[in-house]
């Protein structure tokens, strides 16, 4: 009797093993036969690229969620939620706006205001926003500083933005691209995609492997003032898989006025473009919106303060290219970043 039971047990185990082996073969074969697709287009005033392994084209789903983000957070969209907030039109903000608002306020607290979405009036007057650029006077900057400060805005229980001054305007451009990248990644996951890379204007989320069956590798561009240079030289290459990455660099965003160079990033504490020594800040985090915001904050505070912030946030990794005391380019990166640097 025991012999029959043992035989049945062995047969059952054999069947289970065969089923598992067949399942693995099916999964492996599917991974090798399912094509990688690439979708691209325009969004947030820049270009998006999405590469993913899927048996159907998901561009409509991708563009639908990007449109949702645009409808919520784009100041260039006349009917967006943020435009209505900036124009003091009564509006109940949507879930995307709430996500970004709360995250932005948290990062503002963590960076002592170096990241601040109330910076819009300063961005506009310096010419980097959605108004004509005009060189601001000290008096203009001083007057605007009265309406700058993340502590001067809040969300009430009715999902409306409360301002201490009606002139306060919000600018989420330093976090919206990262958030949009996160949202596209979410759509891909919801559709069963396991291997992908999403990139919007340099903000990136990856998962799984690329079409060569290897981890995703992302280059960090070497800083240069030549914005017309087409063949960008790489400073380094990072192995970035199952994580998000964002880069901020004033060497790519600046203008000259009366012979003086003005950086794109505005310091909310001073009202003026930053003059710190960081040329490029690359941040790796679980979410691209987080990486995006901290990369901007690090450009504002400079290398020493950035390192202090990183000490308090071991979940973040950063790679900085900066100008050393001799005027040359130098590199500093988080100890945890070492394993990400490709040999």
């Amino acid at each position: 009797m025991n012999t029959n039971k043992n035989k049945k047990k062995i047969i059952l185990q054999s069947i289970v093993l065969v089923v598992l082996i067949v399942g693995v073969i099916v999964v492996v074969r599917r991974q090798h036969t399912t094509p990688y697709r690439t979708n691209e287009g325009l969004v947030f005033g820049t270009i998006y690229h999405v590469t993913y392994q899927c048996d159907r084209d998901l561009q409509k789903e991708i563009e639908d969620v990007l449109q949702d983000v645009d409808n919520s957070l784009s100041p260039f969209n006349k009917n967006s939620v943020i435009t209505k907030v900036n124009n003091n039109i009564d509006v109940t903000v949507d879930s995307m706006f709430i996500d970004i608002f709360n995250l932005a306020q948290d990062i503002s607290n963590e960076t002592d205001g170096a990241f601040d979405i109330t910076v819009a009036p300063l961005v506009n007057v310096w010419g980097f926003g959605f108004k004509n650029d005009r060189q601001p006077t000290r008096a203009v900057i001083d007057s605007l500083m009265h309406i700058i400060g993340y502590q001067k805005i809040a969300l009430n229980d009715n999902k409306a933005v409360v301002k201490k001054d009606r002139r306060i305007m919000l600018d989420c451009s330093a976090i919206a691209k990262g958030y949009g990248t996160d949202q596209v990644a979410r759509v891909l996951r919801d559709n069963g995609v396991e291997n992908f890379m999403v990139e919007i204007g340099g903000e990136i989320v990856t998962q799984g492997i690329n079409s060569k069956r290897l981890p995703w590798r992302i280059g960090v561009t070497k800083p240069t003032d030549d914005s017309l240079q087409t063949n960008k030289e790489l400073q380094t290459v990072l192995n970035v898989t199952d994580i998000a990455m964002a880069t901020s660099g004033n060497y790519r965003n600046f203008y000259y006025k009366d012979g003086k160079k003005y950086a794109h990033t505005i310091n909310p504490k001073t009202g003026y473009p930053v003059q710190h020594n960081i040329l490029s800040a690359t941040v790796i985090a679980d979410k691209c919106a987080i990486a995006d915001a901290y990369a901007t904050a690090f450009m504002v505070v400079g290398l020493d303060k950035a390192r202090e912030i990183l000490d308090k946030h071991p979940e973040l990794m950063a790679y900085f290219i900066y100008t050393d005391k001799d005027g040359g380019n130098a590199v500093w990166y988080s100890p945890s970043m070492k394993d990400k640097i490709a040999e």
Side-chain angles (χ1 to χ4, degrees):
M1 194 72 177
N2 287 335
T3 302
N4 289 336
K5 285 184 177 179
N6 289 336
K7 286 182 178 179
K8 289 181 179 179
K9 185 178 180 180
I10 292 172
I11 292 172
L12 181 60
Q13 289 175 338
S14 299
I15 292 173
V16 171
L17 181 60
V18 170
V19 170
L20 289 174
I21 292 173
V22 170
V24 170
I25 292 173
V26 169
V27 170
V28 172
R29 180 173 295 176
R30 182 178 181 276
Q31 288 179 344
H32 281 83
T33 58
T34 302
Y36 276 77
R37 302 174 183 274
T38 298
N39 295 146
E40 59 183 37
L42 296 175
V43 66
F44 313 147
T46 187
I47 301 174
Y48 75 83
H49 299 90
V50 185
T51 299
Y52 57 101
Q53 186 181 31
C54 189
D55 54 11
R56 64 191 183 93
D57 192 320
L58 297 176
Q59 184 154 17
K60 183 182 183 303
E61 289 85 346
I62 290 168
E63 294 197 338
D64 283 348
V65 76
L66 288 175
Q67 187 60 58
D68 289 341
V69 177
D70 189 88
N71 290 340
S72 179
L73 299 169
S74 173
F76 303 99
N77 182 335
K78 294 181 180 180
N79 297 311
S80 70
V81 172
I82 198 169
T83 295
K84 291 176 181 178
V85 170
N86 285 342
N87 291 333
N88 297 304
I89 298 172
D90 290 337
V91 58
T92 299
V93 300
D94 59 18
S95 60
M96 288 186 170
F97 188 97
I98 293 172
D99 285 347
I100 284 300
F101 187 93
N102 290 334
L103 178 60
Q105 294 294 83
D106 287 344
I107 295 175
S108 293
N109 275 311
E110 293 298 316
T111 61
D112 191 28
F115 181 82
D116 193 330
I117 60 173
T118 68
V119 77
L122 291 170
V123 173
N124 295 334
V125 79
W126 279 103
F128 298 118
F130 38 95
K131 292 183 178 181
N132 294 329
D133 69 317
R134 185 173 299 173
Q135 184 71 33
T137 63
R138 180 76 210 190
V140 169
I141 297 299
D142 289 344
S143 67
L144 290 178
M145 290 301 292
H146 292 293
I147 59 172
I148 304 299
Y150 68 98
Q151 306 96 328
K152 298 175 183 178
I153 54 173
L155 280 177
N156 64 19
D157 293 338
N158 296 320
K159 297 181 180 180
V161 176
V162 179
K163 306 177 184 179
K164 289 189 175 180
D165 190 305
R166 288 175 58 85
R167 296 173 296 168
I168 292 173
M169 298 178 70
L170 310 184
D171 178 7
C172 294
S173 61
I175 194 171
K177 284 191 300 179
Y179 183 73
T181 307
D182 287 328
Q183 291 303 305
V184 172
R186 177 184 60 80
V187 166
L188 294 176
R189 294 188 185 106
D190 288 348
N191 280 275
V193 179
E194 297 178 355
N195 302 311
F196 63 78
M197 181 182 73
V198 182
E199 184 264 334
I200 303 178
E203 322 305 3
I204 295 167
V205 175
T206 67
Q207 181 174 298
I209 55 178
N210 61 27
S211 60
K212 296 179 180 179
R213 322 303 301 170
L214 296 171
W216 298 97
R217 304 179 76 187
I218 310 298
V220 176
T221 305
K222 182 172 290 187
T224 173
D225 281 357
D226 186 1
S227 60
L228 299 178
Q229 182 180 343
T230 55
N231 296 320
K232 302 294 185 181
E233 185 178 355
L234 296 182
Q235 180 75 41
T236 191
V237 176
L238 303 177
N239 289 312
V240 183
T241 295
D242 300 331
I243 206 159
M245 168 179 151
T247 298
S248 181
N250 281 326
Y251 67 94
R252 295 181 298 185
N253 299 290
F254 60 87
Y255 72 83
Y256 286 96
K257 186 79 172 182
D258 298 328
K260 187 174 181 180
K261 180 179 176 180
Y262 292 92
H264 182 274
T265 305
I266 304 298
N267 187 338
K269 294 292 193 70
T270 66
Y272 284 82
V274 298
Q275 299 294 323
H276 291 302
N277 59 344
I278 296 181
L279 299 173
S280 171
T282 296
V283 178
I284 292 178
D286 289 337
K287 298 292 184 182
C288 199
I290 294 173
D292 198 4
Y294 272 104
T296 297
F298 292 153
M299 294 300 302
V300 171
V301 300
L303 183 60
D304 292 340
K305 182 64 176 178
R307 292 172 66 172
E308 291 179 14
I309 294 172
L310 286 166
D311 285 341
K312 298 177 183 178
H313 290 277
E315 76 279 9
L316 301 176
M317 290 179 275
Y319 185 101
F320 299 131
I321 306 172
Y322 65 98
T323 304
D324 62 21
K325 61 181 181 180
D326 298 320
N329 287 3
V331 168
W332 182 90
Y333 52 83
S334 308
S336 55
M337 179 71 85
K338 185 176 181 180
D339 293 338
K340 298 292 184 183
I341 299 175
E343 297 296 334

